[in-house]
Amino acid sequence: MKITSLAGGIGGARFLRGLTQSEKVTRNVDVTVIANTGDDIWVHGVRVCPDLDTVMYTLGGGISAERGWGREGETFTAKEELAIYGVEPTWFGLGDKDLATHLIRTTSLNAGYPLSEVTQALCDRWEPGVHLIPMTDQRCETHVVVDHPETGARIAMHFQEWWIRYGAQLPAHEFIQVGLDQAQPAPGVIDAIMNADLILLPPSNPVVSIGTILAIPGVHDAIRNTPAPVIGLSPIINNAPVRGMADACLSAINVETSAVSVARHYGSRSSGGILDYWLIDHSDSDSLAEIEDLGISARAIPLLMTDIDAAGAMANSALDLVHAN
Ligand code: FO1
């Protein structure tokens, strides 16, 4: 069975760990992960790809369990030394172990290798157990339009500065994908969607993670047209994001922070959208009828990914849904 999943950062990676380590799934299942690269950033001369690395480290066993990003047992000596020199950005958490990944990636990119090939080479070490592909090999960074915290002037800043330095507390007027008009799906992306037996949208940020991937020319159409069923899992439980600041992102695009509103935002496949199924938490089960009215089959299951087993149970619910229909 071929499963293709779009994925953002921490929530998506944790779901995928449940999917790939669940006993039901490991047998003859081939998982391809199309990861968001809109969060990617140049810092201190190296290219950092947060969502690719979060998936690679989480599935490869190197992730910091406490942070959900970066490496377990990490030190930040290089970051501290850079700060002593007064070199910005001092707000970015550049880890020493993580730096090795960024240095190899930067050297390979500078030598002309595409990001998809560089990612494959890094995965040779980490063996995440999935085929990890960036959404595009071209630079397509998310920048956020905000009012400058001091001057009030309307400016665009890199997503990471908004997310890390300002904790997504500056109201976002707009998200812009810089480079989108030149971006093409990376090799294998469209094929992984069109030839899958199942498409999964994990509980990643629907705006800056899943939304960013869907905006790459050709991806949304491929998901609309693939013969595979498309199952999404709500990143919103009881009208609140499970982690991260999905609510700050949803309000920027005038989408209410609720399981049903995100389902409406993705849309049913029968009405020009991408969802066949939408899994919500039991606490939102009063929305089941409303979601079904959108033309999307809905189920309420435990959606809180407290540990790997909980994520595995969620993945199994998604698979059961497909087998049942
Ligand atoms: N998130 C933070 O909240 N603070 C950081 O300093 C930080 C550094 C960082 C470095 C490498 C990396 O791969 C991820 C990092 N993240 C950090 C997480 C990252 O900002 C977000 O996880 C994604 O961009 C959103 O999914």
Side-chain angles (χ1 to χ4, degrees):
M1 183 183 192
K2 287 189 283 188
I3 298 177
T4 294
S5 175
L6 306 190
I10 301 165
R14 285 183 172 160
F15 171 76
L16 289 165
R17 187 169 51 185
L19 176 74
T20 52
Q21 289 170 21
S22 133
E23 77 295 336
K24 258 195 195 174
V25 172
T26 38
R27 281 191 315 280
N28 65 15
V29 168
D30 176 43
V31 180
T32 297
V33 179
I34 299 169
N36 168 42
T37 55
D39 295 0
D40 296 4
I41 185 172
W42 283 104
V43 281
H44 305 299
V46 292
R47 189 69 174 160
V48 177
C49 300
D51 286 353
L52 280 169
D53 292 349
T54 296
V55 173
M56 184 173 74
Y57 292 154
T58 301
L59 301 186
I63 197 76
S64 157
E66 177 220 347
R67 288 192 302 271
W69 54 266
R71 292 286 306 280
E72 192 61 58
E74 183 62 283
T75 52
F76 295 90
T77 308
K79 174 179 184 284
E80 288 147 18
E81 283 299 304
L82 287 159
I84 293 167
Y85 276 113
V87 172
E88 288 300 335
T90 52
W91 46 265
F92 190 82
L94 186 68
D96 298 320
K97 290 183 177 179
D98 205 18
L99 192 52
T101 300
H102 310 321
L103 287 167
I104 292 170
R105 179 186 292 122
T106 302
T107 306
S108 307
L109 290 173
N110 290 341
Y113 293 98
L115 181 59
S116 43
E117 286 184 30
V118 175
T119 302
Q120 201 47 54
L122 292 169
C123 286
D124 288 349
R125 168 195 171 176
W126 287 100
E127 298 180 347
V130 300
H131 182 37
L132 181 57
I133 316 179
M135 66 186 191
T136 178
D137 278 336
Q138 287 77 48
R139 189 174 173 187
C140 184
E141 292 178 3
T142 302
H143 288 237
V144 192
V145 177
V146 296
D147 297 331
H148 192 281
E150 273 95 49
T151 66
R154 183 134 314 178
I155 56 155
M157 64 171 66
H158 192 285
F159 171 79
Q160 293 299 340
E161 183 168 12
W162 180 70
W163 189 264
I164 299 173
R165 186 178 186 190
Y166 295 107
Q169 296 308 306
L170 301 176
H173 298 294
E174 190 185 354
F175 293 102
I176 299 170
Q177 288 177 252
V178 177
L180 182 62
D181 43 351
Q182 307 298 321
Q184 292 301 313
V189 164
I190 299 300
D191 180 61
I193 295 170
M194 294 309 290
N195 296 317
D197 299 306
L198 171 60
I199 306 285
L200 283 177
L201 303 184
S204 291
N205 188 308
V207 182
V208 293
S209 294
I210 303 290
T212 304
I213 301 169
L214 292 173
I216 297 295
V219 172
H220 189 273
D221 286 347
I223 294 191
R224 277 195 40 65
N225 299 320
T226 178
V230 180
I231 300 187
L233 292 96
S234 175
I236 305 295
I237 293 181
N238 202 9
N239 304 323
V242 177
R243 58 164 296 107
M245 282 74 91
D247 45 349
C249 301
L250 286 166
S251 58
I253 60 165
N254 301 316
V255 172
E256 193 192 307
T257 299
S258 71
V260 62
S261 300
V262 176
R264 187 179 299 113
H265 172 63
Y266 282 142
S268 73
R269 207 138 56 139
S270 53
S271 65
I274 56 171
L275 287 182
D276 295 310
Y277 302 93
W278 188 238
L279 293 178
I280 63 175
D281 187 73
H282 285 303
S283 58
D284 292 303
S285 50
D286 55 352
S287 310
L288 285 169
E290 197 177 348
I291 296 165
E292 294 274 353
D293 288 348
L294 295 171
I296 301 167
S297 299
R299 295 284 185 289
I301 63 166
L303 267 193
L304 211 49
M305 280 189 293
T306 44
D307 54 26
I308 296 182
D309 291 343
M314 284 161 60
N316 285 328
S317 299
L319 296 181
D320 292 347
L321 206 51
V322 174
H323 292 137
N325 289 282

